[in-house]
Amino acid sequence: MAAHKGRRLRKGAATTAAAALAVAALSASQAPGATGAPDTLQANAGQSSPVPEASADGNATGNSPYYTDLPPLKSPLPSPSSTIGRPVSQGEGEAGIPATVLDAYQKAEAELRAVKPGCNLPWQLLAAIGKVESGQARGGRVTADGTTISPIIGPQLDGNGFALIKDTDHGAYDGNSSYDQAIGPMQFIPSTWAWAGRDGNGDGKADPNNVYDAALAAGHYLCRNGWDLSTERDLHRAILSYNNSTDYLNLVLSWVDYYRKGTHSVPDGSGGVPGHRSDDGLPRTSMPATPGTASPKPSKPAKPSKPANPPKESPSPDPSTPGSPSPEPTTPGGTPTPSDTVDHLVSPDLDGTELTATAGDAFERRIGARAVTKDGKSVAKIRVRFTISGDTDATFTGGERVATIATDAKGIALAPQLLAGEQAGTFTVSSVVVGHAAKGVGYTATVTPRPADKLVRTSDTALTCTPGGEFGQVQVKATYKGAPAAKVGATATLIKSAANPTANIVGPYFKDANGQPVRTLTGLTTDANGLVTLPKLYADLFSGTYLLRVTTPGGGSVTVELKVSVLASAAADPSPSPSAGS
């Protein structure tokens, strides 16, 4: 939420604020995991212009207001006690985080450590943002599952002292069908929540008013673009992408530094609520309520309500590339924004909308969309959202399934490179204009299986056994153009004859999970060396010579002979006999 230029962070404490922020910025650069000396993104206390190279895909909060209270000058105790009846020092009290809220931050950190270990997200960063955005969910006024007791709604972003962001959710989240308002303990605007929302408490839905959902969404939001938050440069970029204000950056860094020095949990609902906001003295609309006080009446009343069915979209954080053009400017007073002038999106090239790649590879073509007016003129600086849909494990670079990119001077937005997963099949990629109904352009992408053009058995030992016995296991190696073919799917079938590759109904067999005979196996996959070892083969009571055929996409095939005979003996054992004198 945005501080306005020239305003002091805290009335009557300008000197203290500047000194504390300077110390905080320096401390953050020396925090565990930070590397290198301060670079061009190092914020200076009192600097009012945004630090360069902030994320260019908009921000999470729409630059809405935020709490500006600074951490106490006295550091928290390293291991504070929560003994009932003992006086709590100022530092220790501020270091306390409501138990459910703290748990949400720490669980979000744990999940991000698992799915995006290169991000190095500290939970203290989530706590710092939660502190300045909502006072830790209004001091922990949440239910047992983490849902706020009442919705936390920011002012309507109508250009009256704030940015102008017209309604994008039809009032489903913020109760306002005219303008967007930041929502929940992490204060996402609806258009950002639509793609960034996550289910953090496992109840099957992504609710911005739930601290587990909001904290996990904030974590993924901060970890997009391949950012490594243990580096000062990426940490600053991530914070500025949440709210593009240097005052905001410095304030969050000061709280991160404070929480790193020690914290503890306090009972839900017992946390303090900050008293100063970045919009003090500015026109207000609906503001988050403070316990025991009445909320200011909005200029355009709209009762916030929790949607029964929030807008459904892939809940992946936005992986748009830093340095891409800035999102569209909005203008108060009813003047149409660039988004409003867009009539439709078209493909920016002449190669069509069909894409093909082999499993595990990157698609050679970059997909994109060009925004045009009714008369075909290009529209720059509007946001286009690309979404991967369908039963697929394909992603954009960075592992995300949603990307929001701003159009350049030619009206073109190029999505991050599309990566085929291991799952073969067809999926779609759609594109829409963020916050505006306009016909989009869609792409159809096909992932073909990894190929192998040659298969060989790795042993020449004869495979024989008696009726009702067991064969030694069969191992084959797959190669493609002479190199080992890893992660290639294979099918093994006990065939009727060399001329008839259909599955036999008698003779050797595999067993399924229930121990029943099966004579065709699918879903086999070669390892990193191109090897695949088949499950154990069994013989029924019929003697004879049988054939096992293994095939792979790309034309690889090998046929193995199996003999079932009453004369078969220990020679069928593939293990070598001890040599003389051993």
Side-chain angles (χ1 to χ4, degrees):
M1 305 181 162
H4 293 267
K5 295 181 179 180
R7 295 192 58 79
R8 285 185 284 180
L9 284 177
R10 195 169 180 179
K11 295 179 180 179
T15 302
T16 302
L21 286 177
V23 171
L26 177 59
S27 299
S29 69
Q30 299 171 342
T35 61
D39 57 19
T40 56
L41 285 181
Q42 177 64 50
N44 296 317
Q47 181 181 343
S48 60
S49 60
V51 172
E53 297 191 50
S55 173
D57 56 354
N59 52 62
T61 69
N63 287 339
S64 298
Y66 57 88
Y67 288 113
T68 59
D69 293 41
L70 290 164
L73 293 178
K74 182 177 180 180
S75 298
L77 299 176
S79 301
S81 170
S82 58
T83 304
I84 298 175
R86 182 179 59 79
V88 179
S89 68
Q90 181 192 31
E92 183 178 335
E94 288 290 345
I97 299 177
T100 298
V101 179
L102 177 60
D103 185 55
Y105 297 149
Q106 293 176 335
K107 285 186 175 178
E109 178 199 53
E111 175 161 334
L112 267 299
R113 293 281 180 184
V115 301
K116 291 187 177 180
C119 176
N120 295 305
L121 171 79
W123 67 260
Q124 290 91 344
L125 175 58
L126 297 176
I129 292 175
K131 179 70 173 183
V132 303
E133 294 295 347
S134 67
Q136 310 297 19
R138 297 181 188 143
R141 297 183 66 238
V142 296
T143 60
D145 71 347
T147 303
T148 57
I149 292 175
S150 58
I152 301 175
I153 309 292
Q156 65 179 17
L157 301 174
D158 58 2
N160 183 22
F162 311 112
L164 171 61
I165 302 179
K166 294 184 178 180
D167 174 64
T168 61
D169 66 331
H170 305 291
Y173 286 119
D174 53 17
N176 189 335
S177 59
S178 297
Y179 302 96
D180 271 351
Q181 296 175 249
I183 47 178
M186 302 304 278
Q187 289 288 276
F188 281 97
I189 54 174
S191 60
T192 302
W193 183 262
W195 57 261
R198 297 275 171 155
D199 176 16
N201 65 347
D203 64 357
K205 61 182 179 181
D207 180 4
N209 293 299
N210 182 279
V211 70
Y212 286 99
D213 296 359
L216 184 58
H220 278 279
Y221 184 92
L222 295 164
C223 283
R224 68 201 195 287
N225 297 328
W227 284 331
D228 178 359
L229 302 186
S230 68
T231 67
E232 182 179 271
R233 186 179 184 85
D234 284 354
L235 175 63
H236 289 192
R237 282 176 168 176
I239 296 172
L240 286 169
S241 79
Y242 213 88
N243 188 307
N244 192 15
S245 160
T246 303
D247 288 337
Y248 183 89
L249 170 65
N250 283 332
L251 183 61
V252 169
L253 288 174
S254 68
W255 280 106
V256 170
D257 185 60
Y258 183 77
Y259 286 135
R260 282 185 188 275
K261 295 176 181 176
T263 188
H264 61 285
S265 65
V266 297
D268 290 345
S270 66
V273 179
H276 302 82
R277 294 180 61 87
S278 61
D279 60 338
D280 284 346
L282 294 175
R284 293 173 182 262
T285 52
S286 60
M287 295 295 296
T290 299
T293 64
S295 300
K297 185 178 181 180
S299 57
K300 293 185 179 181
K303 183 179 180 181
S305 60
K306 180 179 178 181
N309 295 299
K312 291 289 184 180
E313 191 170 326
S314 178
S316 298
D318 182 5
S320 53
T321 305
S324 58
S326 300
E328 73 271 18
T330 53
T331 308
T335 303
T337 66
S339 293
D340 295 329
T341 67
V342 177
D343 181 70
H344 62 283
L345 300 175
V346 296
S347 176
D349 55 50
L350 301 177
D351 294 329
T353 56
E354 300 288 333
L355 306 166
T356 302
T358 301
D361 291 347
F363 286 82
E364 291 186 5
R365 282 178 53 207
R366 288 276 297 275
I367 65 172
R370 185 166 69 92
V372 295
T373 62
K374 285 185 178 181
D375 56 3
K377 293 182 179 179
S378 298
V379 184
K381 295 185 179 180
I382 65 102
R383 289 180 294 164
V384 177
R385 182 181 302 132
F386 299 91
T387 304
I388 298 173
S389 303
D391 186 14
T392 178
D393 56 352
T395 65
F396 293 115
T397 300
E400 310 300 346
R401 292 169 61 90
V402 178
T404 301
I405 306 294
T407 57
D408 60 18
K410 296 180 180 180
I412 296 175
L414 286 179
Q417 188 169 35
L418 188 61
L419 306 177
E422 295 299 330
Q423 184 174 334
T426 299
F427 63 93
T428 60
V429 184
S430 60
S431 63
V432 297
V433 176
V434 176
H436 176 64
K439 184 179 179 180
V441 60
Y443 291 84
T444 300
T446 301
V447 179
T448 59
R450 291 174 181 261
D453 54 17
K454 186 177 181 180
L455 278 176
V456 296
R457 190 178 166 216
T458 58
S459 170
D460 57 3
T461 302
L463 293 165
T464 62
C465 76
T466 58
E470 300 177 0
F471 292 94
Q473 284 187 285
V474 177
Q475 184 183 69
V476 298
K477 182 173 184 177
T479 57
Y480 183 66
K481 296 182 179 180
K487 297 183 180 180
V488 172
T491 299
T493 306
L494 282 306
I495 61 176
K496 290 183 177 180
S497 69
N500 185 356
T502 58
N504 211 338
I505 58 175
V506 295
Y509 58 90
F510 300 105
K511 289 183 179 180
D512 64 14
N514 297 318
Q516 298 301 309
V518 292
R519 292 183 170 86
T520 298
L521 283 183
T522 58
L524 303 169
T525 306
T526 61
D527 63 15
N529 298 313
L531 300 173
V532 59
T533 301
L534 275 58
K536 187 176 293 186
L537 276 162
Y538 302 86
D540 60 13
L541 300 180
F542 296 92
S543 298
T545 299
Y546 301 91
L547 297 178
L548 166 68
R549 179 166 291 172
V550 184
T551 59
T552 59
S557 177
V558 63
T559 301
V560 181
E561 189 176 83
L562 307 170
K563 289 186 178 181
V564 181
S565 170
V566 293
L567 301 178
S569 64
D573 188 344
S575 59
S577 299
S579 59
S582 63

